[in-house]
Amino acid sequence: KHRRCDLIPDSCTLSSVFFFATLVTMNNICPFCRTEVAKIENLRFDLRICPGCLATFFPTNKTMSFRNDIFTLTRKKWLAVLESRGARENVAAEVRCIDHGELLEDGKLPDYGIPGKVTTCCGMFHLTADMTKEILQRSLVNADLKKEGKHHFAFIRALDGLINKLTGNVEPEEDPIEAIQYELHFKHVLEK
């Protein structure tokens, strides 16, 4: 067994220990507002959201996972929170990478073409609340188009609607299964 102080070599100075401690905790601090970010669990990709300014962080090679793994209802509620809190662009002149501390540069976001701050050290989106809002709006338009295109269950849906009408049952406005994702993993971060 090692004690914590045994793990630090004797050659380390106090300043290098503080630098190492800063690097270890860097990926938990929002570079836009300096609030601790929350990791959203149970997704197939790394998604972090800042409860302070509602900035979003996820890998640039996971845009399809962002669209597919986050349910439509969750994206709708997330967008509603961004709109209700009046999410506005609030970017400091010097914004650093949440993981590496390198300066971000002005550019266009990969896969989206939206002007914003981009990394040079890694492939991580650093999205302000406004950028997140625009991406969520785009993904919801695409989700609605996909729903309109699915007609292979039209007969079953029509029959279900007829039975519900005859029995007086009302179909719920929200899919309870989709609501679970927002309630368990997003609500505590977005509605602080």
Side-chain angles (χ1 to χ4, degrees), residues 29-102:
I29 303 298
C30 175
F32 298 113
C33 72
R34 297 291 185 222
T35 304
E36 188 172 352
V37 298
K39 181 173 177 9
I40 304 300
E41 299 295 331
N42 294 328
L43 293 175
R44 289 183 286 182
F45 66 102
D46 176 25
L47 175 64
R48 292 173 270 175
I49 300 174
C50 174
C53 67
L54 299 177
T56 306
F57 309 92
F58 68 95
T60 56
N61 63 351
K62 299 296 182 183
T63 55
M64 288 308 291
S65 294
F66 185 82
R67 294 177 195 139
N68 296 330
D69 292 359
I70 301 173
F71 296 153
T72 303
L73 182 61
T74 299
R75 285 183 278 144
K76 284 180 181 178
K77 288 185 174 192
W78 187 355
L79 180 60
V81 169
L82 289 171
E83 289 172 344
S84 71
R85 284 187 45 184
R88 287 181 290 282
E89 194 77 22
N90 187 18
V91 180
E94 272 195 12
V95 179
R96 298 188 174 272
C97 175
I98 191 169
D99 290 329
H100 303 102
E102 299 290 325

Side-chain angles (χ1 to χ4, degrees), residues 160-172:
D160 185 47
L162 180 65
I163 292 171
N164 284 339
K165 197 175 217 179
L166 292 173
T167 59
N169 291 338
V170 179
E171 203 171 293

